[in-house]
Amino acid sequence: MRVLVCLDAVPAADGSCAQQAWVEQPSVADLLPTVAQANEIGWLFLGSLAVIAFVKHGFKPPRED
């Protein structure tokens, strides 16, 4: 996203600027992970859930009826 910024050290009281420039600023889309990163995170999350389920099942005491 491009934003117009004032380059004056001290802007005028009425808000006008003698020097202005367009500056590129990151948008929300730039902060999101790429598809490859999202796939890797997804598999790691799924794997961690599987490990947690396995450990929980493995440490459950046997039932005594």
Side-chain angles (χ1 to χ4, degrees):
M1 177 169 60
R2 294 179 67 187
V3 179
L4 187 62
V5 294
C6 181
L7 298 178
D8 296 342
V10 180
D14 63 352
S16 63
C17 291
Q19 294 180 333
Q20 299 174 351
W22 288 99
V23 177
E24 288 287 332
Q25 289 189 340
S27 66
V28 175
D30 296 331
L31 303 175
L32 296 174
T34 63
V35 174
Q37 291 170 335
N39 286 335
E40 185 175 342
I41 291 169
W43 280 111
L44 288 173
F45 181 72
L46 183 63
S48 65
L49 288 179
V51 167
I52 291 170
F54 178 76
V55 168
K56 184 178 176 184
H57 180 72
F59 285 116
K60 186 182 290 186
R63 291 176 70 184
E64 295 182 20
D65 294 324

